[in-house]
């Protein structure tokens, strides 16, 4: 059985994140979505909230679980018996940092990372842009899953 790990800040989860998890769930037997508890910037949603929002957005997938983690991603990956980390790539601009992280994680623990090209429908989408648009009163309903749209409106009203 192959287990994939889809890690991220997910502040908030977007349709782009959901697309990567959905496609990973087709390629691999099981997918663990790993929410970093303490991202570099103060998050809009707590780790528990981000886990709940993701879980509510992924109920249609039977082989996916969502969990928060603290510390090194490779430690969490090892504790969950993960075979491969999957990261979405939106554009060349994502590549430098993602390559660095992939090589660091492989150096630390030998874990491989596979890059999945983002669906072009969502290639312009990022959590930070969604936060900004929502904050300024723009429409985000087509950019994030319904539970996330609802939570954003509630948080920013
Ligand atoms: O949503 P993001 O910002 O692309 O997610 C980045 C994330 C959470 C995957 C990365 O910051 C991470 O793995 N953090 C955990 C700490 C860690 O392992 N750092 C070393 C990475 S090489």
């Amino acid at each position: 059985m192959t287990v994939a790990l889809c890690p991220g800040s997910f502040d908030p989860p977007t349709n782009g994140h959901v697309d990567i998890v959905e496609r990973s769930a087709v390629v691999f037997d099981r997918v663990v979505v790993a929410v970093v508890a303490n991202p570099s910037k103060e998050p809009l949603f707590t780790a528990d909230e981000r886990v709940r929002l993701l879980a509510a957005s992924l109920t249609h997938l039977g082989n996916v679980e969502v969990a928060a983690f603290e510390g090194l991603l490779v430690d969490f990956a090892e504790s969950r018996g993960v075979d491969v980390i999957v990261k979405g790539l939106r554009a060349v601009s994502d590549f430098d940092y993602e390559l660095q992280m992939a090589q660091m994680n492989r150096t630390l623990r030998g874990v491989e990372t596979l890059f999945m090209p983002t669906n072009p429908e969502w290639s312009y989408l990022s959590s930070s842009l969604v936060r900004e648009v929502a904050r300024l009163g723009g429409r985000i309903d087509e950019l994030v899953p319904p539970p996330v749209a609802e939570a954003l409106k509630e948080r920013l009203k």
Side-chain angles (χ1 to χ4, degrees), residues 6-129:
C6 293
S9 310
F10 304 108
D11 187 41
T14 68
N15 287 347
H17 294 131
V18 170
D19 175 67
I20 294 292
V21 176
E22 284 175 343
R23 287 157 61 206
S24 299
V26 173
V27 176
F28 301 99
D29 297 313
R30 220 159 58 75
V31 177
V32 180
V33 181
V35 177
V36 68
N38 304 309
S40 47
K41 278 180 258 157
E42 180 68 23
L44 180 61
F45 293 103
T46 66
D48 278 356
E49 288 171 331
R50 285 175 279 138
V51 167
R52 269 188 271 120
L53 289 174
L54 273 165
S57 307
L58 299 168
T59 51
H60 56 297
L61 301 173
N63 58 342
V64 173
E65 71 164 298
V66 185
F69 75 100
E70 285 178 29
L72 282 177
L73 182 65
V74 288
D75 288 336
F76 180 74
E78 195 169 73
S79 75
R80 292 300 180 111
V82 163
D83 298 291
V84 63
I85 295 169
V86 176
K87 295 296 299 270
L89 279 187
R90 288 167 298 191
V92 177
S93 50
D94 281 343
F95 184 72
D96 281 353
Y97 186 49
E98 292 296 343
L99 178 67
Q100 272 186 309
M101 285 199 287
Q103 290 173 330
M104 178 60 83
N105 286 332
R106 187 162 183 273
T107 301
L108 288 171
R109 208 58 53 81
V111 62
E112 299 288 2
T113 297
L114 296 182
F115 296 128
M116 189 176 276
T118 292
N119 184 330
E121 193 181 357
W122 310 120
S123 60
Y124 64 93
L125 199 51
S126 68
S127 295
S128 57
L129 267 187

